[in-house]
Structures are given as structure tokens and as C-alpha cells.
Amino acid sequence: MKISVENERELVKEILLKLGVKENQAEIVTEATIDSDLKGFTSHGLGRFPQYIRGINSGFIQIEGEYEVVKETESIALIDGKSLFGQYIAHEAMMLAIEKAKKTGIGAVGTFNSNHFGVTGYYSDLAIKNDMIGLVNCNTEPGVAPLGGNTAILGTNPIAIGIPANDTYIAVDMATSVSARGKLLEAKRKGEELPPNIAIDKDGNPTTNPEKALEGSILPFGGFKGYALSFMIEIICGPLVNAAFGTAVTGTAGDYKENCNKGDFFVAIDPSKFVSINKFKEEVEEFVQEIRDGGAMAIPGDLETQKIAENEKNGFTIDEKLYETIEEICNDLDINLNDYLTE
């Protein structure tokens, strides 16, 4: 079963609106979902969407009320998300960081009391679209054991960086673990095994079983380097922004037994405050060409650009389990899912 990009966009938005989500928030959640699938991060796109519906139904994702800026200076702000949609809060936080960067050269905004926001790179892309450098971090429920340990204490703690250029999309969006937790959840849903060297079970033994991996730990990428980055992000997205950290983080995996209390951190940097923006972007392109001439297989962002082109042409595949879940949601809202499918 497949669905076109436009049909998925219409379907997601219709579901949200029928649930009573405000239109501006529904549009942001929809675009973040589409962005994930377009870039090939299917574990955070439509495949993750039912998690948000469960969040609304269980009362852990609020669709009424407004967030609050609890602290603010010219260059920084701290936002209490009031348990609203993570995508909406993250979008507002990055746009506020961009606004501040236009005035002072750099803007940094932290958020707490928010929810899972999809892929991190969607928000660094907002900076790129405004000729800014974007940097985004967040922490998550424990899923990664410290190097040498067996007990998950750290989150998968992603990092995204986006760089504006003239013609080239330059961005990186990655977990500090070998795999994002969403990919384990997706493998579990599809009944697939994990590749080797991704995870250990609760006893510290290597496993390719996603269920055992979720009970155990995902491995940090690059040994100590990934562990060290995750450690630092845990502090930046925990104590720094009034959010939980370590084993106290809850609510990102989608079981909605407890409120989501993780933290996020958004930074926008205005290159024009250092050099002219045209000079900056031209020299970035010069560097890109030097890397390509050096025989590089790809630069950060190439794979996403390729995936976007493929998916815009071919649409997205929906596996049987996901179809059944989405169909159940649609039936409850008097929506015919098959009207949106292309085959």
C-alpha cells in the first residue's frame, strides 16, 4: 500500500483537525511529519504519528492553552511548553531563536514540559530558510547505557546542524546512539530483526531482537565519542533548561504512562553579523566543491536530498501493521483511509 506526499499531508491534517487541534498547530505537526518521511526517517513520520494520537487521547498532549516564555533576554529565552504538541513548541522556539539572532547575532531558546517533536533536522532547516546556522539538541527517555555499563541512563540525544548555502542543502541530523529508538520501535512493529552491533539486551548481551533491545540498551555511536556527546547533550537539555535528565526522563517513547519532561535546545546564528551573507554562502559552496573534488561519496545533506526527490516522485509505502493502526484512527473519526491510498 502506498500514499502520495500530498495525500499523506491531507490525511494527517484532517485527522488532527477532526480531533480538535488548532489549525496552526495542525499545519506544523503535519509538515514535520511529512518532512520526516520525505527525508527517509520513516520511524519519525507517519509511523510515529499514532503515538501523538494516543498522547491526545490520554491527555498527555494538550491541544488547548498556550505556552509560556518564563525567562527572556535579548539573546535567550526559556519556554514552558505546557504539554502542547512538541512540534509546535519546537517550531515556535526556533523561530524565536531566529528572531533574536537577527537582532544580536545569536539566539538560544530552551524548552521544557513539551512533547516528542519528530526529527530534529526539521527545526535546523527553519534556520537555513532564514539564512541562519541552526543547531538543535534534545534529550530523551533512557535508551543508551553509559560506555561500559548495561543499564540505560542516557537518551538517544540527537543533534542537528544546518548551514545556509547558495545551492546545496547542508545538514546533519543524527542520534548520538548507533540507532534512533524510533527505528527499534519500527522494526518491532514490522517484525524485523535489527542489524548486528546496534544494541544489547538487559543482561548486556548483543541482540538483534528489537523487543529485547528496547528492554536493554542501544549502543552509543563511535564508542566513547558518541557516549561523550550524549552525556553533554543530557546536561544542555536537562539542568540548563529546567527539564529532567538521566533516568528521570519520561514520555518520549509513546507509552504515555507519565508526562513528557525532556528538554530541547535551539540555537540560531546569523552569519551576516560576522561576514557578509553572500560571502559566507559563496565560500561554503567553494568548500563543498573542494570536498566533492576530493572524491567524497556525499556531503551531509546529500542523502536527504536524494530521498526527498525519490519520495516526492514515488510516495510512501505503508506496511500492514501501520495501515491497521491508521485505519483504526480513521474509522473512529469517520475518515475513509482507502480514499487516500494510491495502490
Side-chain angles (χ1 to χ4, degrees), residues 46-103:
L46 189 62
R48 198 70 172 242
F49 185 66
Q51 170 178 324
Y52 309 133
I53 307 306
R54 291 194 298 272
I56 294 172
N57 291 337
S58 63
F60 286 103
I61 293 180
Q62 300 297 317
I63 59 175
E64 297 292 341
E66 295 294 334
Y67 64 86
E68 180 184 1
V69 178
V70 295
K71 288 187 178 182
E72 189 171 19
T73 70
E74 276 193 303
S75 292
I76 71 99
L78 182 63
I79 291 176
D80 179 347
K82 302 292 186 180
S83 294
L84 295 166
F85 262 107
Q87 292 91 336
Y88 171 59
I89 298 304
H91 178 276
E92 296 299 286
M94 180 51 93
M95 295 309 295
L96 181 55
I98 290 167
E99 180 185 325
K100 290 180 177 297
K102 287 178 180 178
K103 296 175 181 176

Side-chain angles (χ1 to χ4, degrees), residues 26-299:
E27 287 179 357
I28 291 168
V29 175
T30 298
E31 290 309 312
T33 301
I34 296 297
D35 185 72
S36 300
D37 279 332
L38 277 173
K39 292 174 179 173
F41 301 131
T42 55
S43 60
H44 288 61
L46 189 62
R48 198 70 172 242
F49 185 66
Q51 170 178 324
Y52 309 133
I53 307 306
R54 291 194 298 272
I56 294 172
N57 291 337
S58 63
F60 286 103
I61 293 180
Q62 300 297 317
I63 59 175
E64 297 292 341
E66 295 294 334
Y67 64 86
E68 180 184 1
V69 178
V70 295
K71 288 187 178 182
E72 189 171 19
T73 70
E74 276 193 303
S75 292
I76 71 99
L78 182 63
I79 291 176
D80 179 347
K82 302 292 186 180
S83 294
L84 295 166
F85 262 107
Q87 292 91 336
Y88 171 59
I89 298 304
H91 178 276
E92 296 299 286
M94 180 51 93
M95 295 309 295
L96 181 55
I98 290 167
E99 180 185 325
K100 290 180 177 297
K102 287 178 180 178
K103 296 175 181 176
T104 68
I106 187 167
V109 178
T111 70
F112 66 97
N113 196 18
S114 182
N115 277 289
H116 189 276
F117 61 36
V119 288
T120 318
Y122 177 70
Y123 309 99
S124 53
D125 283 357
L126 295 175
I128 293 175
K129 292 172 184 176
N130 284 271
D131 276 347
M132 302 268 180
I133 295 170
L135 170 65
V136 184
N137 296 128
C138 74
N139 64 358
T140 72
E141 281 186 48
V144 180
L147 197 65
N150 293 336
T151 302
I153 298 176
L154 299 162
T156 53
N157 296 4
I159 178 171
I161 303 173
I163 306 288
N166 285 328
D167 303 308
T168 310
Y169 174 64
I170 304 173
V172 62
D173 179 4
M174 63 182 191
T176 50
S177 52
V178 177
S179 171
R181 188 202 308 269
K183 292 187 180 296
L184 274 64
L185 294 169
E186 185 175 52
K188 180 182 175 182
R189 186 187 77 230
K190 292 181 176 181
E192 297 175 350
E193 290 287 295
L194 301 172
N197 304 316
I198 281 182
I200 56 177
D201 63 21
K202 62 183 179 180
D203 298 317
N205 301 310
T207 183
T208 58
N209 182 306
E211 192 161 355
K212 291 182 178 179
L214 288 165
E215 294 172 351
S217 169
I218 311 168
L219 298 173
F221 83 82
F224 188 85
K225 294 179 180 179
Y227 157 62
L229 274 175
S230 183
F231 181 97
M232 297 301 181
I233 291 170
E234 195 77 43
I235 294 171
I236 291 170
C237 296
L240 181 65
V241 298
N242 196 39
F245 53 92
T247 56
V249 181
T250 60
T252 64
D255 54 10
Y256 293 108
K257 296 176 182 176
E258 297 178 86
N259 192 52
C260 186
N261 60 8
K262 56 96 172 183
D264 310 315
F265 193 62
F266 305 86
V267 177
I269 302 169
D270 185 354
S272 73
K273 296 296 193 292
F274 292 84
V275 296
S276 80
I277 188 63
N278 290 335
K279 180 176 185 292
F280 175 80
K281 292 164 75 172
E282 286 169 5
E283 291 186 347
V284 168
E285 292 289 0
E286 286 179 21
F287 177 58
V288 167
Q289 192 57 51
E290 184 176 10
I291 293 294
R292 295 200 193 283
D293 292 344
M297 293 177 59
I299 65 161

